[in-house]
Amino acid sequence: MSGIFDVHAHYDDEKFDTDREEVLSSMAEKNVICIVNAGTDIETSRKTLNYCERYDFMYGAVGIHPECADNLPQDYLKEIENMAMHEKAVAIGEIGLDYYWDGVPRDIQKKVFTEQLELAYKLSMPVVIHDRDAHGDTMEILRKYKPKGIMHCFSGSVEMCREIVNLGMSISLGGVVTFKNARHSVEVAKYIPLDRLMLETDAPYLAPVPFRGKRCDSSMIMMTAERIAEIKGISVEELLKITAENACRMYGIVL
Ligand code: NI
């Protein structure tokens, strides 16, 4: 049986506060071979690195999420750079734009996003990108910077997906592809070339059917994998193997 590689999760979330240790300790027996935890600010990036030191199978992305981009300390970028030097930090993320919540002014979001893209370029590290209801501006910035990295929880159209693939980036899909109203997501899953596809949970959010609405953990990727394997017309084994290889290549992880 091929193992599960979850390219994007948030085990620092308070929804895991009561049993984090237990959940993470049970991952190996649930066939999870690797998890990349994504920081969303300085504090959660630091927590991410703590988990990395604690668990062999855990790696980390460090960075500032657009919702956390306001009121940053002046030396925030230096702080992220220092954390990115950790031997288990494998990406800058999650970074991007979020116009759904719109709690942070857009010009600040763009500034923090592009500064972190420049940092990733300087450090030759991949980026993990969050784009919610901000497709136009996100694409404009990606066209300019052409980063190496992953569009996480991709929610755009097939046309946008094509452009991202043409820019050389990869795309990770999560539980949404199992939802009943996921037509968009199914078309995208069909389109993404197999060598650019990865699997994620975004745990504790976006649990796949039949766990929709519940707290998500990395073992639930199996439901997402089954659905995508069906769409792709390959076996689940094969899909898990290919997506794990893609993730290892992207993050520079040797399992
Ligand atoms: Ni996330």
Side-chain angles (χ1 to χ4, degrees):
M1 184 70 192
S2 303
I4 291 168
F5 192 132
D6 184 354
V7 304
H8 187 103
H10 301 279
Y11 284 97
D12 52 86
D13 193 280
E14 60 182 14
K15 291 196 174 68
F16 291 108
D17 278 356
T18 52
D19 61 350
R20 180 174 297 107
E21 180 91 47
E22 218 178 302
V23 174
L24 287 174
S25 304
S26 73
M27 285 294 128
E29 71 205 42
K30 291 177 176 161
N31 197 32
V32 176
I33 51 171
C34 195
I35 298 170
V36 174
N37 201 76
T40 52
D41 58 14
I42 304 269
E43 194 197 331
T44 54
S45 295
R46 208 169 274 142
K47 280 186 183 169
T48 294
L49 296 179
N50 284 339
Y51 305 151
C52 290
E53 286 167 8
R54 205 105 147 240
Y55 301 96
D56 282 350
F57 58 83
M58 185 83 92
Y59 290 80
V62 294
I64 309 288
H65 187 286
E67 280 176 60
C68 305
D70 223 353
N71 304 315
L72 289 171
Q74 218 161 17
D75 63 346
Y76 89 93
L77 207 57
K78 188 72 208 154
E79 192 87 29
I80 297 293
E81 180 171 356
N82 288 341
M83 288 194 276
M85 294 293 128
H86 191 285
E87 57 173 0
K88 292 188 86 181
V90 291
I92 301 296
E94 63 179 286
I95 63 176
L97 301 175
D98 194 316
Y99 295 169
Y100 177 79
W101 295 106
D102 232 357
V104 178
R106 295 181 179 188
D107 55 328
I108 294 179
Q109 292 192 36
K110 286 186 201 168
K111 179 171 177 283
V112 172
F113 182 24
T114 53
E115 282 174 348
Q116 293 181 98
L117 284 171
E118 280 163 17
L119 175 64
Y121 180 78
K122 177 178 135 185
L123 301 176
S124 303
M125 288 175 84
V127 290
V128 178
I129 293 180
H130 169 102
D131 156 30
R132 187 160 187 201
D133 289 357
H135 299 333
D137 284 355
T138 300
M139 287 315 297
E140 197 181 308
I141 290 170
L142 293 182
R143 273 179 218 121
K144 186 170 163 204
Y145 287 88
K146 298 186 180 62
K148 169 186 167 194
I150 305 172
M151 286 294 285
H152 113 85
C153 257
F154 181 68
S155 60
S157 63
V158 172
E159 292 75 63
M160 182 175 169
C161 178
R162 182 175 301 132
E163 194 180 352
I164 289 164
V165 167
N166 287 340
L167 282 172
M169 298 182 69
S170 294
I171 292 175
S172 74
L173 296 178
V176 174
V177 75
T178 66
F179 295 177
K180 257 216 172 87
N181 53 358
R183 195 178 55 88
H184 220 48
S185 200
V186 169
E187 282 169 15
V188 164
K190 208 174 280 176
Y191 174 77
I192 303 173
L194 264 178
D195 65 341
R196 301 293 187 86
L197 174 64
M198 294 170 208
L199 302 176
E200 70 166 273
T201 52
D202 207 18
Y205 310 105
L206 298 172
V209 173
F211 304 110
R212 190 172 180 180
K214 300 222 169 74
R215 185 184 74 176
C216 184
D217 72 58
S218 301
S219 64
M220 294 180 188
I221 274 192
M222 278 315 283
M223 280 74 210
T224 306
E226 277 164 16
R227 181 71 184 109
I228 294 177
E230 183 188 15
I231 293 166
K232 289 291 198 194
I234 60 176
S235 68
V236 179
E237 302 269 302
E238 208 175 338
L239 181 74
L240 287 177
K241 183 169 172 284
I242 293 170
T243 50
E245 283 168 1
N246 293 342
C248 286
R249 209 166 52 240
M250 173 63 71
Y251 286 132
I253 293 171
V254 181
L255 288 180

